[in-house]
Amino acid sequence: MSPENDLRASATALGPWPGSDPAEATRIIRGELGDPHLPFLPELPDRGIGSDAVGRSGSLLVDLAIDVQPHGWRLVDRPGKDAQRAHSALATDINILADVAGMEDVSAGELKIQLMGPMSLAASLHLHNGERALLDYGARRDIAESLAAGVAEHLRRISAAVPGAGIVVQIDEPEIASVMAGTIPTASGYRTLRSIPGEEVTGAWRLVIDALQAAGAFETVVSVPEIEAPIERIFAAGADGIAVPLKALTTRQWELLAAGVEAGKRVWAGAMPTWVGQAQLPRTGDVVESIWKPWRQLGLPASGLSGIRVTPSTGLAHLKPSAATDILTRLTQVADGLDQLAQG
């Protein structure tokens, strides 16, 4: 049976969520995103240090300790109180997930987790001298290897919280365009760090993706901004798909996505705008058309729309919980619209 017949278009979000109550967030997300949609473990940056993306993913590193210094998270000799706070918040979230999922009559068949990828983590962590770890090849390698070593235990804990659910992993690389273009400033601000070769980026991703797949991940995607999105490298690293905002994609990028779809890769379409002060969400039909129009122009079959996951264009932490919930509701409607097109 072809993948198009197995799949239904689905909705999810990128992870960041408003507020500071993980139980409420988990209940809302799982209530909105039942099958065939993809509920996720929320990230709540409003809780403070340790619940930010860097601290949360940095807490998974093996044999590398982190702590917060005046300029941000730094690699240190032994874990500090901020690292412990990150560990504790993540453990709390997993326990709450188990409680909420355990009370459901019917649990979703999949769950998504997010972690920061090795390149953006290296760009966000600092060395003892205050420079970014991205500056040092050995530090970049150590971070990628340490993250790869830490994901197996993390997936084991997640799987224990939602027995039988397929675990989908979203690898976030928000800094990848700057990393590859060499535009990230040094500590002094007078220079920029040298660009990282594409082959090294692909290798670091492959290391983490291989570890995730070996640990039983059901699906792995790399999430990047649309600016200079390295689509070919993501697919070459072995990812099952790419998550990318659609608004500013070039024709060439759409062609690369189409080639990926034809090779069996999945597109997570960041099709729902999330700007603050939005009086009204875009109409379901308009969002469906924003995906279907370029899809059709590239000659891709309508049946392939069943493999798409639709997401907001950004995280939702800057919104009110009610607005974030409304976006999830609208995304499920968009997914239903794509399904109708896929089925003719």
Side-chain angles (χ1 to χ4, degrees), residues 5-23:
N5 293 328
D6 293 14
L7 295 172
R8 286 179 59 190
S10 57
T12 192
L14 298 177
W17 189 262
S20 57
D21 183 342

Side-chain angles (χ1 to χ4, degrees), residues 43-93:
E43 295 178 359
L44 304 173
D46 287 352
R47 290 152 97 189
I49 290 172
S51 292
D52 59 293
V54 179
R56 200 167 174 87
S57 295
S59 72
L60 303 178
L61 297 174
V62 173
D63 295 331
L64 287 180
I66 59 171
D67 200 37
V68 173
Q69 306 291 324
H71 46 261
W73 286 97
R74 192 175 81 168
L75 294 166
V76 292
D77 294 331
R78 59 184 60 84
K81 67 180 186 305
D82 298 313
Q84 183 54 47
R85 191 181 300 175
H87 276 289
S88 177
L90 186 54
T92 296
D93 290 355

Side-chain angles (χ1 to χ4, degrees), residues 21 23 33 44 52 84 126-127 133 138 177 187 189 191 201 221 226 252 255 290 305 321 325:
D21 183 342
L33 298 177
L44 304 173
D52 59 293
Q84 183 54 47
H126 295 77
L127 303 170
R191 299 187 295 115
V201 172
V221 302
E226 69 272 28
R252 172 62 178 157
E255 289 169 347
S290 74
L305 293 170
T325 304

